[in-house]
């Protein structure tokens, strides 16, 4: 009955939230785990080695799993479970009348088909698989199933394996604080505050190191809004710690490491990392920004957990890692993990982006796959978050919002001023968020920070995506109705969006009219805002409409991301790069002086002045 009403709500809101259906089904959702039956066979076996992981401090290890099934079939599969014990007591009964408990009450963290490494498995019943595991605060075991994903039959369970310190502090992610000279460090561990005191030891390279305390948060199963996040997708997220490193000197390299002071006096340390502090707002220097949306996560061991689900995710991640020396800050504008209610995937995602997020600020925005759930307060009553309703995203990452539940904020980086909106909450004229957006745009000093950037997850501007054109529009319904006069009044340079899984760049545009005929170089007064869809960072690609609108300058059905390079206060380079090779496929430059920003444009200045 509950799911009937969810379906009704979903159908009623289909026109508003149609775009959520792209991207495929979360692979873990394909497993009908609550209906597992048990048929342990004396001649079936499965074992994993090595038994003890991380002996040299590693937080990632490759595992070999050997298994034998006397009755093999092509749909046999191996699931990775953590914690190792399948405890059915944590699940509600499948049949309320009979109070019947399922044998397995949580989905695996990933899986592979048994015949992946051996085409002869269906004949011999013997094979081995390789898995890559990350430290996730608990032990692991492997289970062999027959019956496919829809009718799982448990055949054998392996020995447990574990990391030497499953509680170790891991996966630091940096973010700009509420002021330009503050950096935040957020990380995950298994230590609650009654067991250890979290802190960050940090300082300029070569100087005396200081220690800053950290706050600790977590969330519980009853914080989830619905299934699967509250049922088969639940996994304890551990403890999330955030420390605020304040009064940073601009442009300095700082070293840092994470510590947990145990109550016996010893300290558990992370690896040592480094970052470069933000430039002073308005500083005239080289500054490089990467922007993308909808990346998701992937598994380097080829697990079916991600196969054909986030096909471009690792390519994007690896291109950014390769170019990290030439990146100063990253914006991931919504749809981060596509965990869709399977909480284990947040660890997988933070581990994947750790080389990036531990080195440069990793700023995020809220997307439908983080926030949306019926009757949860989101603007769209779709079930896209899988019952998470924003809680994991709001806890796992720091962002400098005044209220974490209201996922909008501003942040400065040198010559840039960013206004990050939350498309999953009401942005329309008269709303609280609309007032924030205007205040954010109005507050920037364009003499010091000439490059003004607006961003939101859903396309509140322009996109010739197929499903938008089918709705008879080139935007999210009600998207730019009230916002375009703000973009024009405050002369927003570029507006970025995700949600649509492709790349598209518009002309400088206002009220559906291109206001500048140039395509590759803009100089002087631009007169309008360039709108860019950059949602092709990893998830399934979205098709374009067959008709190419007059305002669409360049569009690409491929995986990629955008890089902005401010050379100084007068010169900006925009580059769209493909994830597969890191090469530039679309670009333009803007050259202008402060007087050009002051110049009047249509609807961008007061209609009269005191002199007139």
């Amino acid at each position: 009955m509950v799911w009937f009403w969810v379906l009704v709500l979903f159908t009623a809101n289909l026109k508003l939230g149609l775009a959520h259906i792209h991207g495929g089904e979360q692979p873990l959702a394909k497993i009908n785990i609550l209906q597992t039956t048990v048929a342990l066979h004396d001649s079936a076996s499965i074992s994993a080695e090595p038994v003890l992981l991380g002996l040299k401090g590693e937080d990632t290890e490759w595992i070999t799993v050997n298994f034998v099934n006397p009755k093999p079939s092509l749909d046999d599969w191996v699931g990775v479970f953590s914690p190792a014990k399948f405890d059915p007591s944590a699940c509600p009964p499948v049949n309320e009348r009979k109070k019947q408990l399922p044998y397995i009450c949580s989905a695996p963290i990933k899986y592979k088909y048994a015949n992946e490494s051996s085409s002869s498995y269906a004949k011999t019943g013997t094979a081995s698989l390789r898995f890559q595991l990350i430290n996730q605060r608990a032990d692991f075991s492997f289970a062999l199933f027959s019956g496919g994903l829809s009718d799982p039959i448990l055949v054998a369970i392996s020995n447990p394996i574990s990391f030497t310190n499953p509680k170790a502090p891991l996966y630091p992610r940096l973010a700009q604080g509420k002021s330009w000279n503050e950096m935040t460090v957020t990380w995950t561990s298994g230590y609650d505050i009654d067991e250890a005191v979290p802190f960050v030891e940090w300082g300029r390279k070569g100087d005396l190191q200081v220690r800053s305390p950290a706050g600790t948060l977590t969330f519980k199963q009853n914080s989830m809004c619905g299934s699967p996040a509250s049922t088969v997708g639940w996994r304890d997220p551990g403890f999330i710690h955030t420390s605020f490193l304040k009064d940073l000197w601009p442009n300095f390299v700082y070293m840092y490491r994470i510590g947990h002071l145990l109550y016996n006096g010893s300290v558990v340390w992370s690896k040592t990392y480094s970052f470069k502090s933000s430039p002073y707002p308005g500083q005239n220097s080289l500054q490089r920004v990467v922007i993308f949306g909808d990346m998701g996560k992937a598994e380097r061991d080829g697990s079916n957990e991600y196969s054909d689900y986030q096909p471009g995710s690792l390519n994007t991640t690896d291109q950014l890692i390769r170019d990290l020396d030439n990146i100063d800050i990253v914006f991931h504008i919504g749809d981060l993990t596509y965990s869709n209610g399977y909480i284990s995937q947040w660890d997988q995602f933070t581990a994947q982006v750790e080389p990036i997020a531990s080195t440069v600020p990793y700023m995020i925005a809220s997307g439908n796959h983080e926030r949306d759930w019926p009757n949860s307060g989101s603007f769209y009553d779709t079930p896209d978050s899988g019952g998470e309703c924003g809680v994991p995203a709001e806890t796992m990452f720091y962002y400098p919002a005044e209220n974490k539940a209201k996922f909008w904020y501003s942040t400065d980086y040198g010559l840039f001023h960013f206004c990050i909106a939350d498309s999953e909450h009401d942005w329309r004229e008269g709303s609280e968020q609309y007032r924030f957006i205007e205040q954010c745009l109005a507050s920037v000093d364009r003499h010091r920070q000439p490059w003004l950037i607006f961003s939101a997850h859903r396309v509140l501007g322009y996109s010739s995506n197929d499903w938008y054109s089918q709705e008879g529009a080139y935007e999210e319904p009600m998207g730019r109705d009230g916002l375009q006069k703000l973009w024009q009044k405050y002369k927003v340079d570029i507006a970025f969006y995700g949600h649509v899984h492709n790349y598209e760049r518009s002309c400088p545009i206002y009220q559906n009219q291109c206001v500048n005929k140039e395509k590759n170089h803009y100089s002087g007064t631009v007169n309008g805002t360039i709108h860019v869809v950059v949602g092709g960072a990893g998830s399934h690609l979205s098709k374009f409409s067959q008709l190419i609108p007059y305002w669409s300058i360049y569009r690409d059905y491929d995986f990629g991301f955008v890089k902005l390079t401010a050379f100084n206060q007068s010169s900006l380079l925009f580059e769209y790069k493909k994830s597969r090779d890191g090469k530039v496929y679309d670009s333009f430059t803007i050259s202008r002086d402060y007087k050009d920003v002051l110049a009047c444009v249509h609807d961008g200045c007061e209609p009269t002045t005191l002199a007139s």
Side-chain angles (χ1 to χ4, degrees), residues 318-525:
D318 292 345
Q319 285 296 346
L320 298 184
I321 293 171
R322 279 192 280 270
D323 195 38
L324 202 52
D325 288 342
N326 301 304
I327 297 171
D328 295 311
I329 188 170
V330 168
F331 286 83
H332 187 162
I333 54 175
D335 285 6
L336 310 179
T337 68
Y338 289 88
S339 52
N340 295 0
Y342 291 85
I343 308 301
S344 64
Q345 305 306 285
W346 283 92
D347 285 322
Q348 307 284 343
F349 177 78
T350 54
Q352 179 174 313
V353 301
E354 186 244 25
I356 306 164
S358 64
T359 306
V360 299
Y362 199 93
M363 312 303 294
I364 65 168
S366 180
N368 52 308
H369 285 279
E370 280 78 56
R371 183 61 184 84
D372 292 359
W373 189 256
N375 297 314
S376 71
S378 56
F379 191 58
Y380 296 88
D381 264 356
T382 62
D384 298 2
S385 75
E388 293 181 9
C389 54
V391 174
E394 293 165 14
T395 309
M396 298 289 289
F397 282 83
Y398 177 84
Y399 47 95
E402 292 301 319
N403 183 329
K404 295 284 280 186
K406 298 172 182 177
F407 216 127
W408 52 79
Y409 63 92
S410 66
T411 192
D412 295 311
Y413 193 88
L415 298 168
F416 293 93
H417 182 69
F418 297 91
C419 296
I420 310 299
D422 177 3
S423 63
E424 310 315 300
H425 282 92
D426 193 353
W427 66 83
R428 295 171 298 176
E429 194 165 0
S431 68
E432 180 183 1
Q433 182 173 195
Y434 186 90
R435 292 191 293 273
F436 157 78
I437 293 170
E438 178 157 28
Q439 189 278 330
C440 181
L441 298 176
S443 65
V444 61
D445 178 352
R446 299 300 286 274
H447 186 218
R448 298 170 63 199
Q449 295 177 292
W451 310 116
L452 180 56
I453 308 297
F454 173 86
S455 184
H457 175 64
R458 291 177 185 256
V459 181
L460 306 184
Y462 295 83
S463 166
S464 63
N465 185 66
D466 183 56
W467 70 67
Y468 283 143
S469 66
Q470 289 179 22
E471 291 179 339
Y474 287 117
E475 58 165 325
E476 201 69 36
M478 303 171 289
R480 58 179 179 264
D481 290 358
L483 292 174
Q484 60 183 340
K485 64 182 180 183
L486 297 184
W487 299 328
Q488 186 74 353
K489 179 179 180 180
Y490 299 106
K491 303 179 179 68
V492 172
D493 291 303
I494 310 175
F496 288 97
Y497 315 99
H499 196 57
V500 171
H501 298 174
N502 53 39
Y503 168 76
E504 186 169 23
R505 168 171 66 98
S506 81
C507 61
I509 192 169
Y510 175 55
Q511 292 185 334
N512 287 306
Q513 298 297 317
C514 291
V515 294
N516 192 305
K517 295 181 180 180
E518 296 296 329
K519 293 185 178 182
N520 300 113
H521 178 70
Y522 304 98
S523 60
T525 306

Side-chain angles (χ1 to χ4, degrees), residues 204-222:
R204 289 184 296 173
K205 190 173 184 180
D207 282 4
L208 183 67
Q209 307 293 287
V210 298
R211 292 184 177 183
S212 293
T216 298
L217 296 173
T218 189
F219 53 92
K220 300 296 183 182
Q221 196 166 357
N222 60 10

Side-chain angles (χ1 to χ4, degrees), residues 74-105:
L74 290 174
D75 59 0
D76 291 356
W77 56 281
V78 173
V80 185
F81 289 84
S82 180
K85 183 180 180 183
F86 311 151
D87 184 8
S89 63
C91 287
V94 173
N95 187 322
E96 284 288 346
R97 187 178 301 172
K98 296 181 180 180
K99 301 295 180 183
Q100 176 187 352
L101 288 171
Y103 184 79
I104 301 176
C105 66

Side-chain angles (χ1 to χ4, degrees), residues 194-312:
D194 60 359
E195 188 176 2
V197 177
F199 65 93
V200 173
E201 184 178 86
W202 62 284
R204 289 184 296 173
K205 190 173 184 180
D207 282 4
L208 183 67
Q209 307 293 287
V210 298
R211 292 184 177 183
S212 293
T216 298
L217 296 173
T218 189
F219 53 92
K220 300 296 183 182
Q221 196 166 357
N222 60 10
S223 301
M224 303 294 96
C225 289
S227 183
S230 60
T231 56
V232 296
W234 173 254
R235 187 180 189 275
D236 192 309
F239 299 98
I240 316 304
H241 316 278
T242 299
S243 183
F244 298 83
L245 316 185
K246 300 183 179 183
D247 298 323
L248 303 178
W249 291 34
N251 312 305
F252 269 83
V253 174
Y254 285 84
M255 311 301 294
Y256 74 97
R257 60 175 177 166
I258 297 159
H260 286 265
L261 176 61
L262 304 179
Y263 285 100
N264 64 9
S266 62
V267 177
V268 177
W269 292 105
S270 73
K271 294 181 289 187
T272 298
Y273 303 89
S274 67
F275 66 86
K276 186 179 180 181
S277 56
S278 172
Y280 188 80
Q283 177 186 299
N284 214 9
S285 64
L286 183 69
Q287 297 155 20
R288 300 148 306 181
V289 180
V290 165
I291 303 176
F292 57 85
D294 306 72
M295 185 171 76
K297 56 158 287 289
E299 295 289 344
R300 295 190 184 276
D301 60 13
S303 297
N304 286 75
E305 183 276 321
Y306 88 93
S307 182
D308 297 326
Y309 184 53
Q310 312 291 349

